Amino acid sequence: MHIEESVKLDFKDVLIRPKRSTLTSRLEVDIRREFLFHHSRQTYRGIPIIASNMDSTGTIEMAHALAPHQLSAALHKHHSTDDLVAFFQSLQHSAHAASTAFYSMGISPSDYDKFTAVMARLDNAIEYVCIDVANGYTEGFINFVKKVRKEFPHLTIMAGNVVTGDITEELILAGADIVKVGIGPGSVCTTRKMTGVGYPQLSAVIECADAAHGLGGQICADGGCAVPGDLAKAFGGGADFIMLGGMLAGHDECAGEVVEREGKKYKCFYGMSSRAAMEKYAGGVADYRAAEGKEVLVEYRGPVVNTLQEILGGVRSACTYVGAHKLKELTKRTTFIRVTQQLNEVFG
Ligand code: 5GP
């Protein structure tokens, strides 16, 4: 039996130590980033926050709402071929030069066939793809990434999910430009409860970022951000991109109807491996598996732009506290301190 004794940390275990700064206002902070991707050789410019490819947040409406603010969306994989073609065509004619949207797929033959069909109709115009599975540790997954890389050399590939440096390196060598990091931290994920498998997200980010950067790759921290400060910690820990589900749920741009309970408005939000999702897309939970996601009601929050201001304001302010003029400098300027308490809960 091998037990790894070093302590692994979550966002809740640390705070960022303030540092002397010459910044006078958070207005001076530039939270856009620019990346030249290792394999695709494509240049990205934007605010590196991506709406999760869950079916409530990875919508076409969300992508259109985020693009003017230079954020991205990963469209969920259940859109029809026609809708996807129309959406990516609209991006080509978009006024927002920096519009970045990810096409998402799993690794089944039908996922691949759908992707090649959409690509063919668009003259290969899709630039970003997210290949994701719950467990990115299988040989089949790595081989799938290799295949897509070989067939589409100019595509920027984000692939995951994993949580350790060894497999991050393997994925980058297999052709991924961005490795998606996170097993179990999601707001509607029950993987840790159902399987006992997982990795504290901040340590996963720190370790995977280190491995990826050593090879010229990037990482996307996926899951577990519950407040803007968690994004600051993920970026501070080395995340190049951050994917958000729960923090973007409950808005107008999310799929699903507003429901009322005791005079309050809510929207339904559920994990993509929850019973609700499997019933919607797979005709139920297959008898050899258990759901690894849950279904919740999120308070209805109106247009997503209000929430964006809060999130981006928090990240900008974090940069000011440590003297980072640009988001790029945040990692270098971050010192985490371990804490036993984060918040004063007197008023709940
Ligand atoms: P959040 O930002 O809500 O904390 O996390 C979002 C991430 O949770 C998604 O991008 C995805 O990686 C993960 N996720 C979504 N649905 C499920 C699910 O049903 N089960 C698990 N294990 N993870 C999920």
Side-chain angles (χ1 to χ4, degrees):
M1 164 62 50
H2 175 72
I3 298 180
E4 203 170 308
E5 299 283 358
S6 64
V7 176
K8 304 292 177 187
L9 302 168
D10 245 310
F11 299 131
K12 67 163 181 33
D13 300 317
V14 302
L15 287 168
I16 300 170
R17 193 175 79 187
K19 289 213 169 102
R20 200 174 156 277
S21 160
T22 54
L23 280 157
T24 53
S25 157
R26 62 195 70 171
L27 267 178
E28 291 170 39
V29 176
D30 182 3
I31 54 169
R32 285 168 306 170
R33 296 246 15 212
E34 184 172 318
F35 298 112
L36 173 64
F37 293 115
H38 182 61
H39 292 286
S40 70
R41 309 312 293 168
Q42 195 171 182
T43 302
Y44 161 93
R45 286 186 195 86
I47 296 177
I49 299 174
I50 307 168
S52 170
N53 52 358
M54 298 167 76
D55 70 351
S56 39
T57 54
T59 62
I60 287 172
E61 293 79 359
M62 184 65 82
H64 285 310
L66 296 183
H69 303 277
Q70 304 182 53
L71 278 72
S72 315
L75 296 188
H76 68 73
K77 68 176 197 172
H78 302 292
H79 285 108
S80 72
T81 304
D82 285 349
D83 286 352
L84 287 165
V85 169
F87 171 78
F88 282 100
Q89 264 166 352
S90 78
L91 269 200
Q92 290 174 290
H93 308 122
S94 158
H96 306 293
S99 288
T100 307
F102 288 79
Y103 178 103
S104 301
M105 63 177 152
I107 61 168
S108 71
S110 66
D111 286 325
Y112 188 73
D113 290 347
K114 182 174 170 187
F115 177 64
T116 52
V118 173
M119 268 301 230
R121 282 176 60 187
L122 288 162
D123 279 336
N124 283 351
I126 294 177
E127 296 176 313
Y128 293 88
V129 67
C130 168
I131 307 173
D132 71 351
V133 291
N135 170 12
Y137 283 75
T138 66
E139 205 173 283
F141 177 65
I142 310 251
N143 289 338
F144 189 86
V145 172
K146 282 185 186 158
K147 177 165 93 171
V148 177
R149 169 54 63 216
K150 185 158 174 275
E151 292 301 317
F152 300 97
H154 303 296
L155 203 56
T156 296
I157 300 177
M158 174 155 74
N161 281 20
V162 299
V163 285
T164 48
D166 52 344
I167 197 92
T168 298
E169 287 174 356
E170 198 168 336
L171 278 170
I172 290 171
L173 295 174
D177 297 288
I178 311 167
V179 173
K180 196 145 73 74
V181 175
I183 293 186
S187 59
V188 282
C189 162
T190 57
T191 292
R192 292 177 181 176
K193 200 166 158 184
M194 294 304 293
T195 68
V197 176
Y199 210 96
Q201 182 69 349
L202 180 63
S203 283
V205 165
I206 292 171
E207 292 169 26
C208 294
D210 193 43
H213 296 162
L215 293 176
Q218 265 78 40
I219 68 149
C220 174
D222 176 22
C225 287
V227 290
D230 293 342
L231 280 89
K233 291 171 187 175
F235 283 134
D240 303 288
F241 292 85
I242 295 178
M243 182 170 268
L244 296 178
M247 283 184 77
L248 297 180
H251 295 99
D252 288 334
E253 294 81 359
C254 300
E257 298 306 313
V258 175
V259 295
E260 260 192 68
R261 295 274 191 288
E262 292 162 8
K264 269 193 156 175
K265 291 182 173 167
Y266 298 90
K267 272 190 129 170
C268 187
F269 181 55
Y270 49 83
M272 294 312 292
S273 309
S274 65
R275 171 170 294 277
M278 287 195 252
E279 276 169 1
K280 191 160 175 191
Y281 299 112
V285 182
D287 54 12
Y288 61 90
R289 61 183 292 181
E292 285 182 29
K294 61 184 170 189
E295 191 177 352
V296 297
L297 285 176
V298 180
E299 218 168 296
Y300 167 66
R301 298 192 271 172
V304 73
V305 60
N306 302 345
T307 301
L308 285 191
Q309 256 193 14
E310 212 171 283
I311 296 174
L312 303 185
V315 174
R316 271 197 199 95
S317 186
C319 290
T320 325
Y321 271 110
V322 298
H325 291 78
K326 296 181 169 167
L327 182 56
K328 183 174 189 228
E329 297 163 13
L330 184 58
T331 306
K332 214 170 51 221
R333 312 243 353 148
T334 293
T335 304
F336 289 119
I337 41 177
R338 283 190 60 196
V339 296
T340 51
Q341 193 184 341
Q342 287 262 328
L343 306 171
N344 180 338
E345 306 279 9
V346 171
F347 296 113

PDB file of all heavy atoms in Angstrom, residues 89-109:
ATOM      1  N   GLN A  89     -20.689  29.230 -38.455  1.00  0.00           N
ATOM      2  CA  GLN A  89     -20.719  30.160 -39.582  1.00  0.00           C
ATOM      3  C   GLN A  89     -20.895  31.587 -39.086  1.00  0.00           C
ATOM      4  O   GLN A  89     -20.225  32.506 -39.562  1.00  0.00           O
ATOM      5  CB  GLN A  89     -21.902  29.823 -40.508  1.00  0.00           C
ATOM      6  CG  GLN A  89     -21.480  28.958 -41.665  1.00  0.00           C
ATOM      7  CD  GLN A  89     -22.676  28.341 -42.375  1.00  0.00           C
ATOM      8  OE1 GLN A  89     -23.827  28.439 -41.917  1.00  0.00           O
ATOM      9  NE2 GLN A  89     -22.406  27.703 -43.494  1.00  0.00           N
ATOM     10  N   SER A  90     -21.763  31.756 -38.089  1.00  0.00           N
ATOM     11  CA  SER A  90     -22.017  33.107 -37.579  1.00  0.00           C
ATOM     12  C   SER A  90     -20.756  33.682 -36.930  1.00  0.00           C
ATOM     13  O   SER A  90     -20.508  34.879 -36.967  1.00  0.00           O
ATOM     14  CB  SER A  90     -23.172  33.110 -36.577  1.00  0.00           C
ATOM     15  OG  SER A  90     -22.741  32.637 -35.319  1.00  0.00           O
ATOM     16  N   LEU A  91     -19.926  32.816 -36.350  1.00  0.00           N
ATOM     17  CA  LEU A  91     -18.671  33.280 -35.743  1.00  0.00           C
ATOM     18  C   LEU A  91     -17.728  33.854 -36.787  1.00  0.00           C
ATOM     19  O   LEU A  91     -17.043  34.842 -36.555  1.00  0.00           O
ATOM     20  CB  LEU A  91     -17.927  32.104 -35.091  1.00  0.00           C
ATOM     21  CG  LEU A  91     -18.179  31.763 -33.644  1.00  0.00           C
ATOM     22  CD1 LEU A  91     -17.016  30.937 -33.123  1.00  0.00           C
ATOM     23  CD2 LEU A  91     -18.371  32.982 -32.781  1.00  0.00           C
ATOM     24  N   GLN A  92     -17.733  33.201 -37.955  1.00  0.00           N
ATOM     25  CA  GLN A  92     -16.833  33.659 -39.015  1.00  0.00           C
ATOM     26  C   GLN A  92     -17.178  35.076 -39.448  1.00  0.00           C
ATOM     27  O   GLN A  92     -16.323  35.821 -39.878  1.00  0.00           O
ATOM     28  CB  GLN A  92     -16.922  32.727 -40.230  1.00  0.00           C
ATOM     29  CG  GLN A  92     -16.318  31.361 -39.957  1.00  0.00           C
ATOM     30  CD  GLN A  92     -16.547  30.426 -41.126  1.00  0.00           C
ATOM     31  OE1 GLN A  92     -17.660  29.987 -41.410  1.00  0.00           O
ATOM     32  NE2 GLN A  92     -15.467  30.135 -41.831  1.00  0.00           N
ATOM     33  N   HIS A  93     -18.468  35.423 -39.325  1.00  0.00           N
ATOM     34  CA  HIS A  93     -18.890  36.762 -39.742  1.00  0.00           C
ATOM     35  C   HIS A  93     -19.082  37.672 -38.541  1.00  0.00           C
ATOM     36  O   HIS A  93     -19.653  38.741 -38.654  1.00  0.00           O
ATOM     37  CB  HIS A  93     -20.201  36.667 -40.540  1.00  0.00           C
ATOM     38  CG  HIS A  93     -20.122  35.683 -41.660  1.00  0.00           C
ATOM     39  ND1 HIS A  93     -20.957  34.606 -41.793  1.00  0.00           N
ATOM     40  CD2 HIS A  93     -19.237  35.587 -42.678  1.00  0.00           C
ATOM     41  CE1 HIS A  93     -20.598  33.895 -42.848  1.00  0.00           C
ATOM     42  NE2 HIS A  93     -19.563  34.460 -43.410  1.00  0.00           N
ATOM     43  N   SER A  94     -18.579  37.245 -37.382  1.00  0.00           N
ATOM     44  CA  SER A  94     -18.821  38.000 -36.164  1.00  0.00           C
ATOM     45  C   SER A  94     -17.996  39.283 -36.127  1.00  0.00           C
ATOM     46  O   SER A  94     -16.874  39.349 -36.638  1.00  0.00           O
ATOM     47  CB  SER A  94     -18.476  37.123 -34.968  1.00  0.00           C
ATOM     48  OG  SER A  94     -18.216  37.930 -33.864  1.00  0.00           O
ATOM     49  N   ALA A  95     -18.574  40.308 -35.492  1.00  0.00           N
ATOM     50  CA  ALA A  95     -17.863  41.573 -35.327  1.00  0.00           C
ATOM     51  C   ALA A  95     -16.766  41.432 -34.273  1.00  0.00           C
ATOM     52  O   ALA A  95     -15.851  42.231 -34.200  1.00  0.00           O
ATOM     53  CB  ALA A  95     -18.844  42.652 -34.899  1.00  0.00           C
ATOM     54  N   HIS A  96     -16.885  40.381 -33.444  1.00  0.00           N
ATOM     55  CA  HIS A  96     -15.913  40.219 -32.361  1.00  0.00           C
ATOM     56  C   HIS A  96     -14.772  39.358 -32.845  1.00  0.00           C
ATOM     57  O   HIS A  96     -14.863  38.135 -32.872  1.00  0.00           O
ATOM     58  CB  HIS A  96     -16.578  39.598 -31.145  1.00  0.00           C
ATOM     59  CG  HIS A  96     -17.784  40.354 -30.723  1.00  0.00           C
ATOM     60  ND1 HIS A  96     -17.715  41.629 -30.215  1.00  0.00           N
ATOM     61  CD2 HIS A  96     -19.097  40.048 -30.774  1.00  0.00           C
ATOM     62  CE1 HIS A  96     -18.923  42.065 -29.973  1.00  0.00           C
ATOM     63  NE2 HIS A  96     -19.783  41.133 -30.309  1.00  0.00           N
ATOM     64  N   ALA A  97     -13.706  40.026 -33.225  1.00  0.00           N
ATOM     65  CA  ALA A  97     -12.592  39.308 -33.841  1.00  0.00           C
ATOM     66  C   ALA A  97     -12.075  38.224 -32.906  1.00  0.00           C
ATOM     67  O   ALA A  97     -11.593  37.187 -33.352  1.00  0.00           O
ATOM     68  CB  ALA A  97     -11.499  40.295 -34.183  1.00  0.00           C
ATOM     69  N   ALA A  98     -12.205  38.467 -31.589  1.00  0.00           N
ATOM     70  CA  ALA A  98     -11.611  37.523 -30.645  1.00  0.00           C
ATOM     71  C   ALA A  98     -12.554  36.382 -30.276  1.00  0.00           C
ATOM     72  O   ALA A  98     -12.275  35.612 -29.378  1.00  0.00           O
ATOM     73  CB  ALA A  98     -11.196  38.260 -29.386  1.00  0.00           C
ATOM     74  N   SER A  99     -13.698  36.273 -30.957  1.00  0.00           N
ATOM     75  CA  SER A  99     -14.658  35.224 -30.609  1.00  0.00           C
ATOM     76  C   SER A  99     -14.013  33.851 -30.637  1.00  0.00           C
ATOM     77  O   SER A  99     -13.494  33.429 -31.650  1.00  0.00           O
ATOM     78  CB  SER A  99     -15.814  35.226 -31.604  1.00  0.00           C
ATOM     79  OG  SER A  99     -16.599  36.335 -31.389  1.00  0.00           O
ATOM     80  N   THR A 100     -14.087  33.202 -29.517  1.00  0.00           N
ATOM     81  CA  THR A 100     -13.498  31.879 -29.407  1.00  0.00           C
ATOM     82  C   THR A 100     -14.562  30.971 -28.854  1.00  0.00           C
ATOM     83  O   THR A 100     -15.051  31.203 -27.758  1.00  0.00           O
ATOM     84  CB  THR A 100     -12.338  31.915 -28.397  1.00  0.00           C
ATOM     85  OG1 THR A 100     -11.451  32.941 -28.777  1.00  0.00           O
ATOM     86  CG2 THR A 100     -11.605  30.608 -28.348  1.00  0.00           C
ATOM     87  N   ALA A 101     -14.946  29.976 -29.608  1.00  0.00           N
ATOM     88  CA  ALA A 101     -15.909  29.019 -29.084  1.00  0.00           C
ATOM     89  C   ALA A 101     -15.374  27.628 -29.357  1.00  0.00           C
ATOM     90  O   ALA A 101     -14.764  27.378 -30.403  1.00  0.00           O
ATOM     91  CB  ALA A 101     -17.265  29.211 -29.735  1.00  0.00           C
ATOM     92  N   PHE A 102     -15.589  26.755 -28.402  1.00  0.00           N
ATOM     93  CA  PHE A 102     -15.097  25.387 -28.525  1.00  0.00           C
ATOM     94  C   PHE A 102     -16.230  24.476 -28.992  1.00  0.00           C
ATOM     95  O   PHE A 102     -17.340  24.536 -28.450  1.00  0.00           O
ATOM     96  CB  PHE A 102     -14.598  24.878 -27.171  1.00  0.00           C
ATOM     97  CG  PHE A 102     -13.300  25.499 -26.731  1.00  0.00           C
ATOM     98  CD1 PHE A 102     -13.274  26.773 -26.180  1.00  0.00           C
ATOM     99  CD2 PHE A 102     -12.103  24.808 -26.856  1.00  0.00           C
ATOM    100  CE1 PHE A 102     -12.090  27.341 -25.763  1.00  0.00           C
ATOM    101  CE2 PHE A 102     -10.901  25.367 -26.435  1.00  0.00           C
ATOM    102  CZ  PHE A 102     -10.898  26.642 -25.883  1.00  0.00           C
ATOM    103  N   TYR A 103     -15.938  23.630 -29.940  1.00  0.00           N
ATOM    104  CA  TYR A 103     -16.816  22.517 -30.297  1.00  0.00           C
ATOM    105  C   TYR A 103     -16.485  21.403 -29.302  1.00  0.00           C
ATOM    106  O   TYR A 103     -15.316  21.126 -29.058  1.00  0.00           O
ATOM    107  CB  TYR A 103     -16.500  22.060 -31.722  1.00  0.00           C
ATOM    108  CG  TYR A 103     -17.323  20.883 -32.194  1.00  0.00           C
ATOM    109  CD1 TYR A 103     -18.392  21.068 -33.056  1.00  0.00           C
ATOM    110  CD2 TYR A 103     -17.030  19.577 -31.763  1.00  0.00           C
ATOM    111  CE1 TYR A 103     -19.154  19.982 -33.488  1.00  0.00           C
ATOM    112  CE2 TYR A 103     -17.791  18.497 -32.179  1.00  0.00           C
ATOM    113  CZ  TYR A 103     -18.858  18.710 -33.041  1.00  0.00           C
ATOM    114  OH  TYR A 103     -19.610  17.640 -33.462  1.00  0.00           O
ATOM    115  N   SER A 104     -17.489  20.757 -28.700  1.00  0.00           N
ATOM    116  CA  SER A 104     -17.192  19.695 -27.727  1.00  0.00           C
ATOM    117  C   SER A 104     -17.543  18.326 -28.255  1.00  0.00           C
ATOM    118  O   SER A 104     -18.548  18.175 -28.949  1.00  0.00           O
ATOM    119  CB  SER A 104     -18.015  19.882 -26.457  1.00  0.00           C
ATOM    120  OG  SER A 104     -17.755  21.117 -25.884  1.00  0.00           O
ATOM    121  N   MET A 105     -16.740  17.370 -27.887  1.00  0.00           N
ATOM    122  CA  MET A 105     -17.098  15.984 -28.227  1.00  0.00           C
ATOM    123  C   MET A 105     -16.510  14.995 -27.234  1.00  0.00           C
ATOM    124  O   MET A 105     -15.522  15.270 -26.556  1.00  0.00           O
ATOM    125  CB  MET A 105     -16.647  15.633 -29.637  1.00  0.00           C
ATOM    126  CG  MET A 105     -15.172  15.662 -29.863  1.00  0.00           C
ATOM    127  SD  MET A 105     -14.842  15.117 -31.559  1.00  0.00           S
ATOM    128  CE  MET A 105     -13.335  15.972 -31.883  1.00  0.00           C
ATOM    129  N   GLY A 106     -17.171  13.848 -27.153  1.00  0.00           N
ATOM    130  CA  GLY A 106     -16.631  12.720 -26.416  1.00  0.00           C
ATOM    131  C   GLY A 106     -15.797  11.899 -27.395  1.00  0.00           C
ATOM    132  O   GLY A 106     -15.376  12.419 -28.439  1.00  0.00           O
ATOM    133  N   ILE A 107     -15.567  10.643 -27.086  1.00  0.00           N
ATOM    134  CA  ILE A 107     -14.643   9.867 -27.932  1.00  0.00           C
ATOM    135  C   ILE A 107     -15.320   8.680 -28.612  1.00  0.00           C
ATOM    136  O   ILE A 107     -14.643   7.763 -29.079  1.00  0.00           O
ATOM    137  CB  ILE A 107     -13.413   9.400 -27.122  1.00  0.00           C
ATOM    138  CG1 ILE A 107     -13.816   8.488 -25.956  1.00  0.00           C
ATOM    139  CG2 ILE A 107     -12.637  10.602 -26.595  1.00  0.00           C
ATOM    140  CD1 ILE A 107     -12.619   7.788 -25.312  1.00  0.00           C
ATOM    141  N   SER A 108     -16.650   8.716 -28.690  1.00  0.00           N
ATOM    142  CA  SER A 108     -17.314   7.594 -29.356  1.00  0.00           C
ATOM    143  C   SER A 108     -17.240   7.795 -30.872  1.00  0.00           C
ATOM    144  O   SER A 108     -17.072   8.919 -31.343  1.00  0.00           O
ATOM    145  CB  SER A 108     -18.770   7.517 -28.915  1.00  0.00           C
ATOM    146  OG  SER A 108     -19.478   8.598 -29.484  1.00  0.00           O
ATOM    147  N   PRO A 109     -17.373   6.703 -31.633  1.00  0.00           N
ATOM    148  CA  PRO A 109     -17.356   6.847 -33.091  1.00  0.00           C
ATOM    149  C   PRO A 109     -18.418   7.833 -33.577  1.00  0.00           C
ATOM    150  O   PRO A 109     -18.170   8.604 -34.512  1.00  0.00           O
ATOM    151  CB  PRO A 109     -17.654   5.423 -33.592  1.00  0.00           C
ATOM    152  CG  PRO A 109     -17.197   4.536 -32.480  1.00  0.00           C
ATOM    153  CD  PRO A 109     -17.441   5.291 -31.207  1.00  0.00           C
TER     154      PRO A 109
END
